[in-house]
Amino acid sequence: MGPSDVMYIKSRFAVCTSLQADQVWIQNGTPVGMSTLTLFIRGTVPKESDRTMYFDYDITNFRKDGKTGTAGLTYTIEPKFPMMSPAKAQVQSGGPLPLTLTWDELSTRRPTAHFEHTARVAPGQGTGSGKADAVFAAYQPVLTSHVPPGWQGNGTSGSPFMMAPRWDAAKYLRNSTGQGNPDNRGSAAFSVVTPLKYSKADGAPERGVALHVEKAFNDPNHTLPPTPEGKKIPGQVPGSPLHRLLTETSQYERNRILAVQNCKKYWGDGYAEDGAKECDEFPMASTYEGAAQSEYDPHAPKGNFSVLPVPATQNRDAGTILKAFYMSNRIIEGLDDGFTISVTGEAVEHGGLLINSSKKCLEIENSSEDNGARAQQWDCNGQPGADWLVQPTDDGQYVNIVNANSGKCLEIVNSRTDNGAPAQQYDCVGIATQKWQMQGNAGNRIIRNVNSGKVLEVENSSAENGARVQQWDNGGQTGAVWTQG
């Protein structure tokens, strides 16, 4: 069997790996033929409101040459969990695996033999400093071959690259209540270090912070405060990630105090320029690696951080993007999880919630995946239909607002231009009514439709669940003010 040492990561909710199984057929010490197949495994967490992980097994690329015994060559396909932490945690498995079939039986399902394995860990079995109810595991698919009698060799077994599923539940993560079913509280993700992308492109809302992070990575010894030992600021590579700090409020506050003290020390008491700028610190105050790390960790170097006054709106927008990143990627607090920062010169899409001034979320009714499903507001309860991706259009001038649950674009019905025309979701086809302008900062957004020039609002600025979302002339109404977070 061919070795596999690669795992492909799309996100913390979609990973895949593979294994090629080659069989050389030998009689009387002489190779007389060969057969091969490839096993692909995709691990996904399709819904944040469900703790079930799905592992799709696809066997394909069947090929044989020469003289073979594939009619009797059996393959056993078995998913295993060689590690569980805590060890007492129980996995509820579903699907037909493990199973044993011959090469010929598998190949009759060309082009692909498909099997699905599901894995779920109920809440209440985890650890994570008592804060995340996290269960960590290693997931190992195993493919074992058995050579039929009359052929030399005893068969072999192989395993693709191991996956690392995690189940969690915490009050600060979505689906914290299970939406009325406590047995479904929390969700799942793969334990991979994922990057938060900040854009330094002209016009990017977080540009000032992105430039600060870039300098902290590339030229740390010319950032402030200076340190005689030199700096090596974490957060750039998976081997030295950042870790989320949330409930340790005293450490968070101490991070901020030290950062502001240093901004005043090196730029003077007027560094804020009457509110035009704010003191940005990296690593962020919401990480264990913040400015005060050495006061809480005796092994941490002192002064291993950077501060810089940046435009206030850009600092706040970067903070909003960070909060959305924490939420949408299910970053748990503590040293059991980590993330990195990636600075790019391209425009970046950012996911998360769109919250109206009513404190309710923009969502697709019933989290529908259908074309034409209407947009409305509802309490923010972690429902999948309230998760959005703000994606730059190809020309970079506007954005598409894409529902992460359905993959469809927010638009105005029938490209209408009149007041009161409702918003809905539909397949993304690049038309003007699916293009939007995000105006203002992330905490005070006006969302303007490119086709009509009107703004997205909640009808009559209602605070009720189910109030429809529509377009209207911008008259400063509170129902047209959104927070991206």
Side-chain angles (χ1 to χ4, degrees), residues 61-77:
N61 297 338
F62 297 96
R63 185 168 60 87
K64 62 180 179 179
D65 295 298
K67 185 178 180 181
T68 69
T70 56
L73 173 63
T74 60
Y75 285 99
T76 299
I77 308 162

Side-chain angles (χ1 to χ4, degrees), residues 24 84 92 112 118 125 141 156 171 176 236 238 286 298 300 306 410:
V24 177
M84 293 289 295
Q92 302 164 352
T112 300
T118 62
Q125 304 183 67
T156 57
K171 291 181 179 179
S176 61
Q236 189 173 17
S286 61
S306 172
L410 185 71

Side-chain angles (χ1 to χ4, degrees), residues 195-201 203-207 210 314 317-326 328-329 341-344 346-354 387-392 399-404 438 442 445 484-485:
L196 163 62
K197 292 184 179 180
Y198 275 155
S199 173
K200 63 178 181 179
E206 72 275 28
R207 173 176 164 78
Q314 295 181 18
D317 281 349
T320 300
I321 291 167
L322 174 63
K323 290 176 183 177
F325 170 81
Y326 283 152
S328 60
N329 286 277
I341 307 289
S342 174
V343 177
T344 176
E346 305 297 324
V348 175
E349 64 180 57
H350 294 297
L353 308 178
L354 289 168
D387 202 1
W388 300 90
L389 294 171
V390 179
Q391 302 176 335
V399 296
N400 297 127
I401 301 175
V402 181
N403 190 265
M438 293 287 218
R445 286 279 194 230
Q484 186 180 351

Side-chain angles (χ1 to χ4, degrees), residues 397-455:
Q397 295 186 51
Y398 309 113
V399 296
N400 297 127
I401 301 175
V402 181
N403 190 265
N405 179 60
S406 66
K408 300 181 186 298
C409 276
L410 185 71
E411 67 167 26
I412 298 300
V413 171
N414 296 327
S415 297
R416 285 165 53 181
T417 58
D418 56 306
N419 282 333
Q424 64 177 18
Q425 70 175 7
Y426 217 89
D427 292 332
C428 301
V429 293
I431 57 179
T433 193
Q434 294 179 347
K435 297 179 180 180
W436 304 85
Q437 289 176 304
M438 293 287 218
Q439 300 174 336
N441 63 57
N444 189 27
R445 286 279 194 230
I446 299 296
I447 304 175
R448 189 179 300 275
N449 187 264
V450 171
N451 180 62
S452 67
K454 300 183 185 298
V455 298

